[in-house]
Amino acid sequence: MKHKMTVITDKNGAFLGAVRNGTIQDGENMLQFSASPHPDHRHHNIEVDEEVIRRPFDEVRALLLRETSGKQ
């Protein structure tokens, strides 16, 4: 399954964070996530496989940055 994410970088491309977009359902509970733009940040919308989210943080960050490179 693919998940939509917003990867947030500074103007130089340094990783600041990432948010999984959309709705997550857990039983009767529903969570809605989205990122609010900041003028000094860049937001990169990408899709990643579910297995990526379960990897160690350093691996996920590196993969997300590779996905965003060249997307300005």
Side-chain angles (χ1 to χ4, degrees):
M1 173 187 256
K2 294 269 189 179
H3 291 285
K4 293 181 181 182
M5 296 190 75
T6 299
V7 179
I8 305 163
T9 61
D10 67 12
K11 290 181 179 180
N12 298 317
F15 182 83
L16 299 175
V19 176
R20 188 170 122 184
N21 299 331
T23 303
I24 298 173
Q25 187 80 33
D26 181 22
E28 294 184 18
N29 300 315
M30 186 179 351
L31 299 170
Q32 177 72 35
F33 293 99
S34 63
S36 298
H38 184 281
D40 293 334
H41 300 162
R42 292 194 173 130
H43 287 210
H44 312 270
N45 295 311
I46 64 171
E47 287 189 357
V48 297
D49 289 321
E50 186 171 347
E51 69 183 43
V52 168
I53 297 171
R54 295 187 174 106
R55 294 181 186 173
F57 174 78
D58 289 340
E59 288 181 31
V60 174
R61 180 181 56 204
L63 183 136
L64 295 176
L65 284 173
R66 280 194 306 273
E67 290 290 320
T68 62
S69 65
K71 292 184 178 185
Q72 301 299 324

